[in-house]
Amino acid sequence: MPLLRNILVTGGAGFIGQNFVHHLLSQPDAPRIVVLDALTYAANPCSLEPLIQSGRIEFIKGDITDLAALEALFAAQGFDSVAHLAAESHVDRSILGPDAFIQTNVVGTYNLLKCALADWNRRKILDTARFLHVSTDEVFGDLTPQEPAFVENSPYKPSSPYSASKAGGDHLVRAFIRTYGLPGLITNCSNNYGPYQHPEKLIPLMIIHALQGKPMPIYGDGLNVRDWLFVGDHCHALLEVLRRGQVGQTYNVGGGAERTNRDVVSEICRIIDARFASDVAMGSRFPASPAAKGKSSASLITPVSDRPGHDRRYAINGGFLKQALGVEPREDFQSGLRKTVNWYMENPAWWQRALSGDFGLWMERNYGSREAAAKP
Ligand code: NAD
Ligand code: TYD
């Protein structure tokens, strides 16, 4: 049985990491939690600030590519578990600048594996310690519309520098498990959505642009399919795998909600339009939104040129996780999306903080030439 009393959460200031920390703290037997995060552009940890101030978690700003700092951290903290979520996570950024992805997702993961193994060997706790490596379904490449969903032993066939670097990390974890007896587990999940997701990703970007009256850019024909997993369901699955998963095993975590990008964006527009129609206060809060003037948000949808190497379809078969641990998604996509849209409507201060800094430069870099290319 794992101890799970003193956990290191890497990347705990990011989207899934923050949600995972809250999920851990909601447990009656919550462990001591140390968050290690480099606070890259992707971090926006407002929700952790009260937890840090009240001493419910400890926060350490640090980079997993810094081996010496990691060694000192493990020596000082006595961790019995690691949930490894720190990563460079955005496919478009990996296309325009892959170096950081190799450093964090491959080298950083390798550093963590080395430190955890050495520390747990020294303390002779390999039987009760756990290393959970959080990965993605993108390592399996993409599917045609007819192919069956990914299973745990689907071949690795990554398409982007992001997914290739995540695949590299997964291979290292598996090698440490088999060669050195590291008590590791791997999860490969589908696209997450929910509160605290950075505005660079599809769902938050579309919500925020609809509220700001800005173009909603859909790549290519918009018929690429993703399987959407509500972040709360993902966090539940991660904790159950940590608690009850079999060491050495991979678990696929799916949302059971395959949708084309067009369908997702249309649904976001419908939810926003309906909220503005039923709540007059929304118009004064987001006056630039078409919905504030009684128009459909869908008028902002703008097809732009495609992402290079764009994966056509991802789908996860979550049957093994359900059979082995009884874990399956509980949130239905319609209600999960409504909760997510409502969260972004209620928390503009959070996403305005994420839009400050260099985000405008990123938008120009990623979308500037796309928009030009899409014009007739
Ligand atoms: P995110 O980009 O929102 O957050 C990543 C966090 O890692 C940020 O807080 C960032 O500051 C931190 N970080 C980055 N480089 C670091 C470094 N070198 N050292 C320490 N911290 C560093 O990512 P997310 O969406 O929360 O994803 C978390 C994990 O889940 C990642 O491993 C990702 O590959 C995986 N995943 C995400 C999704 C998804 O849909 N979001 C889907 C499948 C898998
Ligand atoms: P994204 O949220 O970047 O996740 P991933 O690429 O890891 O699946 O994108 C989800 C889908 O939405 C993907 O098919 C790319 C597409 N997309 C757009 O059409 N427009 C956008 O502006 C973004 C960010 C993504």
Side-chain angles (χ1 to χ4, degrees):
M1 278 292 282
L3 270 176
L4 212 62
R5 287 193 200 126
N6 186 8
I7 189 169
L8 171 67
V9 180
T10 71
F15 162 47
I16 301 171
Q18 251 172 104
N19 280 283
F20 185 61
V21 167
H22 289 292
H23 183 65
L24 280 175
L25 286 173
S26 71
Q27 305 300 307
D29 55 349
R32 171 175 182 263
I33 300 169
V34 176
V35 168
L36 173 73
D37 198 295
L39 298 182
T40 69
Y41 79 92
N44 189 5
C46 308
S47 82
L48 299 189
E49 282 157 9
L51 304 177
I52 298 165
Q53 270 146 29
S54 64
R56 292 192 75 202
I57 66 168
E58 188 176 332
F59 179 82
I60 294 168
K61 181 172 188 283
D63 194 319
I64 58 169
T65 65
D66 182 347
L67 180 60
L70 274 189
E71 282 169 342
L73 182 71
F74 273 82
Q77 294 277 354
F79 299 124
D80 57 39
S81 320
V82 173
H84 175 33
L85 295 102
E88 288 290 338
S89 69
H90 190 32
V91 173
D92 292 321
R93 288 194 193 247
S94 83
I95 293 168
L96 293 173
D99 290 2
F101 289 72
I102 305 305
Q103 284 308 313
T104 290
N105 300 355
V106 182
V107 178
T109 298
Y110 175 59
N111 287 344
L112 266 178
L113 290 166
K114 274 201 293 196
C115 291
L117 181 71
D119 183 51
W120 295 342
N121 257 325
R122 196 169 44 243
R123 291 164 52 218
K124 298 193 172 31
I125 60 163
L126 280 179
D127 51 341
T128 53
R130 292 291 182 269
F131 187 108
L132 173 66
H133 175 66
V134 179
S135 190
T136 168
D137 59 359
E138 302 192 23
V139 296
F140 301 123
D142 63 355
L143 297 165
T144 62
Q146 293 76 31
E147 279 176 298
F150 301 125
V151 288
E152 279 70 8
N153 60 1
S154 290
Y156 272 43
K157 213 162 36 88
S159 317
S160 70
Y162 163 65
S163 52
S165 66
K166 290 297 291 185
D170 293 14
H171 289 319
L172 286 167
V173 176
R174 220 169 265 120
F176 268 66
I177 294 168
R178 171 130 180 204
T179 304
Y180 305 117
L182 181 91
L185 307 120
I186 299 176
T187 52
N188 295 91
C189 70
S190 48
N191 284 55
N192 283 222
Y193 68 105
Y196 307 116
Q197 188 168 30
H198 192 276
E200 68 190 357
K201 303 282 169 52
L202 178 77
I203 288 181
L205 184 78
M206 295 297 157
I207 298 169
I208 291 167
H209 277 204
L211 296 176
Q212 293 182 322
K214 292 187 175 167
M216 300 167 77
I218 298 197
Y219 299 160
D221 62 8
L223 296 178
N224 303 67
V225 172
R226 298 292 181 264
D227 170 37
W228 292 99
L229 169 64
F230 191 65
V231 67
D233 282 335
H234 185 205
C235 292
H236 171 68
L238 294 180
L239 184 53
E240 292 313 301
V241 169
L242 255 177
R243 278 179 172 149
R244 298 188 287 121
Q246 194 188 322
V247 165
Q249 185 63 53
T250 285
Y251 297 88
N252 280 358
V253 190
E258 282 188 56
R259 298 283 187 284
T260 65
N261 294 336
R262 264 200 226 167
D263 285 346
V264 170
V265 176
S266 301
E267 188 58 28
I268 290 170
C269 292
R270 268 194 293 278
I271 295 170
I272 291 179
D273 294 350
R275 177 79 194 271
F276 274 74
S278 66
D279 182 352
V280 283
M282 296 313 293
S284 54
R285 287 173 66 188
F286 301 105
S289 163
K293 296 157 206 122
K295 287 198 207 141
S296 169
S297 305
S299 58
L300 297 170
I301 294 175
T302 310
V304 298
S305 54
D306 211 351
R307 169 189 281 175
H310 196 174
D311 281 336
R312 197 64 178 161
R313 173 179 166 242
Y314 305 137
I316 283 258
N317 179 336
F320 177 67
L321 180 64
K322 184 175 175 193
Q323 176 219 315
L325 301 180
V327 173
E328 59 184 328
R330 293 179 282 203
E331 191 71 57
D332 143 78
F333 184 66
Q334 302 276 104
S335 72
L337 192 62
R338 207 170 312 112
K339 281 183 193 168
T340 305
V341 171
N342 284 334
W343 187 85
Y344 281 88
M345 284 179 159
E346 302 306 332
N347 291 279
W350 184 89
W351 48 263
Q352 267 145 12
R353 180 162 140 171
L355 299 183
S356 63
D358 287 347
F359 193 69
L361 291 177
W362 164 250
M363 291 302 289
E364 180 51 35
R365 194 162 167 232
N366 189 46
Y367 296 93
S369 56
R370 268 180 216 285
E371 281 157 2
K375 279 178 193 144

